[in-house]
Amino acid sequence: MSDTDATPTISTTVEESTSEREAQSSTGTARAVIESRNLDVRYGDVEALQSIDLRIPDQHVTAIIGPSGCGKSTFLRCINRMNDLVEAATIDGELLFNGTDVYGEEIDPVALRRRIGMVFQHPNPFPKSIYDNVAYGLRIQDITDDMDERVEQALRRAALWDEVKDQLDKSALDLSGGQQQRLCIARAIAVDPDVLLMDEPASALDPIATSKIEDLIEELAEEYTVVIVTHNMQQAARISDKTAVFLTGGELVEFDDTQKIFEDPESDRVEDYITGKFG
Ligand SMILES: Nc1ncnc2c1ncn2[C@@H]1O[C@H](COP(=O)(O)OP(=O)(O)OP(=O)(O)O)[C@@H](O)[C@H]1O
């Protein structure tokens, strides 16, 4: 289905939700931009997520932590329907983006992924120039006006402009790993998404590049909702506002303010995980 065929599109859904946004922000409570209700995911016989109920607040950083195989990436990939590409995956329950079920029949996954961008563990720039990487998403949306300005703004917001402004024609593949990852972030935000999903975005980077990405994530949360999967508990504690702890078996055990999770979790299992007793 093309974007123009999708009725209603994700864009109209977002516009319809403005009154909800205003109503909730007036109470001082962040609106949930993503909400899962009773979400179950299986890959064939493997139960990857069990009855996940989670509300991800607007314009904050939410970290998802937990031991290997507990379903963190699966949850992230459900949000923008990347799991559609996995034949064995079956999904039950509800996953709402601005109040609309992203698995609803009327939703176009390509349009959805423009509103919910994704950055992966290993930087994956296209084998094109720095400029063309950032311009890519805009061109496929037929946005051609003010292209130079849009590319510059995305690179600035991704804290990369000063390092690349004199070499925009250079191949993206010639950048360092950390620069490539910031370029991938610039590519994702050039189309002005609402949500950025990040799957261990710094785990392949050295400490200096990691620190730049962490600073950037905190800045991005002023404009976007960021959901980050990380194995690095210090990183989750440093940069996130909310933390969800998934444990083995695909269970969401606790979700709360990050400070509460790390200083005074309700669950003994979460405390054992945080303090390194397992996982
Ligand atoms: N494409 C797939 N096909 C079959 N099983 C899968 C697939 N992807 C994930 N799984 C299984 O689903 C479960 C959850 O995997 P997932 O990758 O979501 O966990 P994770 O918490 O992100 O792990 P890690 O921290 O190691 O990346 C695991 O048992 C995994 O083996």
Side-chain angles (χ1 to χ4, degrees):
M1 189 193 295
S2 76
D3 294 336
T4 47
D5 293 331
T7 46
T9 65
I10 284 291
S11 312
T12 57
T13 307
V14 172
E15 280 154 22
E16 283 159 9
S17 72
T18 304
S19 56
E20 184 196 351
R21 181 191 303 251
E22 285 167 356
Q24 298 217 10
S25 62
S26 67
T27 67
T29 309
R31 183 183 68 98
V33 63
I34 306 282
E35 181 172 0
S36 72
R37 292 183 188 158
N38 212 13
L39 186 75
D40 282 307
V41 181
R42 305 183 70 88
Y43 297 102
D45 293 338
V46 176
E47 186 154 34
L49 290 176
Q50 291 183 52
S51 304
I52 305 296
D53 289 316
L54 183 55
R55 289 166 57 86
I56 293 179
D58 199 15
Q59 287 179 305
H60 287 79
V61 179
T62 295
I64 300 177
I65 64 171
S68 192
C70 68
K72 304 179 295 294
S73 299
T74 295
F75 184 77
L76 209 64
R77 291 195 305 255
C78 283
I79 297 174
N80 69 346
R81 292 187 53 171
M82 292 296 281
N83 275 332
D84 286 12
L85 312 172
V86 180
E87 215 171 289
T90 53
I91 294 151
D92 290 304
E94 275 184 299
L95 215 158
L96 309 178
F97 169 49
N98 289 326
T100 296
D101 190 346
V102 303
Y103 288 93
E105 278 178 18
E106 74 281 12
I107 299 301
D108 173 4
V110 176
L112 177 76
R113 290 180 201 130
R114 273 184 217 135
R115 310 311 307 265
I116 307 179
M118 192 155 191
V119 175
F120 298 88
Q121 179 175 14
H122 294 284
N124 60 349
F126 303 131
K128 294 172 179 284
S129 70
I130 293 167
Y131 186 101
D132 285 343
N133 263 272
V134 182
Y136 178 84
L138 295 163
R139 286 184 179 135
I140 57 174
Q141 282 192 70
D142 289 330
I143 298 171
T144 51
D145 60 316
D146 304 323
M147 187 61 92
D148 291 354
E149 172 71 17
R150 290 174 192 274
V151 168
E152 177 177 336
Q153 283 311 316
L155 287 167
R156 281 190 186 280
R157 282 190 283 172
L160 188 58
W161 174 251
D162 288 342
E163 291 160 63
V164 301
K165 63 185 175 196
D166 298 323
Q167 42 180 342
L168 296 174
D169 291 334
K170 182 174 156 176
S171 169
L173 304 181
D174 292 339
L175 296 172
S176 71
Q179 289 173 323
Q180 287 189 12
Q181 194 62 305
R182 280 180 283 142
L183 180 64
C184 291
I185 292 170
R187 186 177 66 191
I189 60 183
V191 295
D192 205 21
D194 296 313
V195 178
L196 269 181
L197 307 177
M198 298 185 156
D199 198 348
E200 300 186 50
S203 64
L205 305 178
D206 66 43
I208 292 173
T210 296
S211 162
K212 283 190 180 166
I213 295 283
E214 289 184 4
D215 290 347
L216 175 57
I217 290 169
E218 289 186 281
E219 281 169 32
L220 290 171
E222 288 171 17
E223 282 184 74
Y224 306 99
T225 301
V226 178
V227 188
I228 176 172
V229 164
T230 178
H231 271 122
N232 181 331
M233 282 193 261
Q234 287 79 13
Q235 181 173 74
R238 273 194 301 268
I239 66 171
S240 70
D241 305 291
K242 293 273 183 182
T243 296
V245 188
F246 285 65
L247 291 179
T248 307
E251 191 188 345
L252 171 61
V253 179
E254 197 162 338
F255 176 59
D256 211 327
D257 290 342
T258 294
Q259 194 173 358
K260 167 90 173 132
I261 292 284
F262 283 95
E263 292 178 5
D264 183 24
E266 295 293 320
S267 157
D268 292 344
R269 293 163 68 199
V270 169
E271 180 158 4
D272 287 351
Y273 177 67
I274 300 281
T275 54
K277 288 194 185 139
F278 76 94

